[in-house]
Amino acid sequence: MAKLNFGGTEENVVTREEFPLSKAQEVLKNEVVAVIGYGVQGPGQALNQKDNGINVIVGQRKGTKTWDKAINDGFVPGETLFEIEEALERGTVICYLLSDAAQIALWPTVKKHLTPGKALYFSHGFGITFKEQTGIIPPADVDVFLVAPKGSGTSLRRMFLQGRGLNSSFAIFQDATGKAKDRVIALGIAVGSGYLFETDFKKEVFSDLTGERGTLMGCIQGVFAAQYDVLRSNGHSPSEAFNETVEELTQSLMPLVAENGMDWMYANCSTTAQRGALDWWKKFRDATKPVFEDLYKSVATGVESQRSIDTNSKPDYREKLDAELKELRDSEMWQAGKTVRSLRPENQVVEA
């Protein structure tokens, strides 16, 4: 494991150079990796492992849309696609990739198939960290670890097909066999990680829940909406407000940040833009930091996890969630965005 300097702090990381795919294949050659759940992370992780030569099977309920999706993706009923219990029985590594609420509901079934020497794999620290709320307490004679790609399953798959990799964290909660470290790193490489950085289950879920509610999704949508509303209330058109709020950020500036960092992006904008950004970023930091402190406290004390469990376990949660998503989708800002995206050159139909 390499030690790299991250802004003055040394951290342990695993690269594909030191742990190549061939080594991962060797570690996993006698394993049957059972991916349970084929929703958000399941397809990307299962397909990447399959393409990387790992013996992977999918466990899903027959007759569901996700069962049909797995078939369309190349998994064969009775060979690499099974009902959940059969997949749990066949698997030596159980990739538990259901939603947090669904993990709680299925846990009694999963637990009875965790025979000695098997491994229980997560991509989120939720179930283990909040075990008092979830009831997910693994037996002592199985390995328990996680690989958490820092992005959606869709991104994981897309970047894999592009020959790239999505950074992932890894953590070991329980090493019953003495092989947990090799197993988890091999799986991290097999699912398509660019590199792996070390964490623990609690830090993973605390940072993940904070990030999702913060700059990754909740905060960024709130900031978008605030700026868009201010521009619209001051007479700017929907197209101008959207372009200045979202389109320029996502299509022009964020790719520059991804390539070389925020400092480089600043240095390659106009001096007027630089001056304004340098004058205002600390004001936004100071205004939002108390909100992030409240958010982190809510995550660390279990308030966020309990709310997620309570709301997502209700029989009508999907209908209520769809209604909230519809409100977002039907807002003027994102309807304007739909038109703006259609006007991108790559989305234009050019007649011969």
Side-chain angles (χ1 to χ4, degrees), residues 181-252:
K181 187 174 180 180
D182 278 349
R183 278 171 134 179
V184 69
I185 293 174
L187 286 159
I189 297 300
V191 301
S193 302
Y195 76 89
L196 295 153
F197 62 93
E198 197 171 19
T199 187
D200 60 43
F201 272 64
K202 181 182 286 187
K203 288 177 181 174
E204 191 285 327
V205 71
F206 282 15
S207 61
D208 190 67
L209 292 183
T210 300
E212 290 168 347
R213 287 149 179 76
T215 58
L216 301 180
M217 294 175 69
C219 172
I220 197 67
Q221 165 59 21
V223 171
F224 281 165
Q227 178 169 304
Y228 182 89
D229 289 349
V230 168
L231 291 173
R232 288 289 287 125
S233 67
N234 281 280
H236 298 269
S237 68
S239 59
E240 184 171 54
F242 187 87
N243 271 287
E244 202 62 45
T245 299
V246 179
E247 191 74 351
E248 185 174 351
L249 175 71
T250 59
Q251 298 303 296
S252 174

Side-chain angles (χ1 to χ4, degrees), residues 271-289:
T271 55
T272 301
Q274 289 177 37
R275 183 68 270 144
L278 290 168
D279 287 346
W280 279 89
W281 80 263
K282 291 180 182 178
K283 295 180 182 181
F284 282 107
R285 178 199 62 191
D286 295 344
T288 58
K289 189 174 180 181

Side-chain angles (χ1 to χ4, degrees), residues 17-215:
E17 286 71 32
E18 68 171 291
F19 205 109
L21 178 60
S22 59
K23 185 174 179 179
Q25 292 168 334
E26 178 64 24
V27 170
L28 299 173
K29 66 181 180 181
N30 296 319
E31 305 276 16
V32 177
V33 180
V35 174
I36 308 301
Y38 207 73
V40 178
Q41 280 287 336
Q45 294 202 30
L47 287 168
N48 289 359
Q49 288 185 79
K50 179 171 176 282
D51 288 351
N52 274 332
I54 307 303
N55 184 10
V56 59
I57 63 175
V58 171
Q60 191 52 256
R61 290 185 177 86
K62 195 172 185 178
T64 61
K65 290 181 180 179
T66 44
W67 174 276
D68 294 338
K69 176 174 170 51
I71 292 174
N72 290 334
D73 286 345
F75 292 96
V76 180
E79 295 181 16
T80 54
L81 175 61
F82 302 92
E83 289 275 6
I84 289 176
E85 282 223 50
E86 186 170 356
L88 287 168
E89 186 176 351
R90 289 172 175 265
T92 60
V93 177
I94 308 302
C95 291
Y96 206 22
L97 301 181
L98 294 169
S99 69
D100 295 321
Q103 285 187 14
I104 296 169
L106 191 65
W107 177 245
T109 301
V110 174
K111 188 175 181 179
K112 71 180 182 181
H113 291 285
L114 289 174
T115 51
K118 285 194 176 187
L120 179 62
Y121 166 113
F122 294 89
S123 281
H124 193 18
F126 192 102
I128 295 293
T129 300
F130 299 112
K131 57 183 180 296
E132 293 83 4
Q133 296 168 331
T134 66
I136 296 177
I137 302 174
D141 51 10
V142 300
D143 291 343
V144 182
F145 44 66
L146 68 78
V147 173
K150 298 297 105 180
S152 69
T154 301
S155 298
L156 182 72
R157 181 61 177 166
R158 181 182 296 144
M159 292 175 76
F160 176 86
L161 292 174
Q162 293 170 346
R164 301 163 62 201
L166 191 62
N167 302 330
S168 302
S169 61
F170 77 95
I172 298 170
F173 178 76
Q174 193 166 278
D175 184 3
T177 66
K179 301 184 297 181
K181 187 174 180 180
D182 278 349
R183 278 171 134 179
V184 69
I185 293 174
L187 286 159
I189 297 300
V191 301
S193 302
Y195 76 89
L196 295 153
F197 62 93
E198 197 171 19
T199 187
D200 60 43
F201 272 64
K202 181 182 286 187
K203 288 177 181 174
E204 191 285 327
V205 71
F206 282 15
S207 61
D208 190 67
L209 292 183
T210 300
E212 290 168 347
R213 287 149 179 76
T215 58

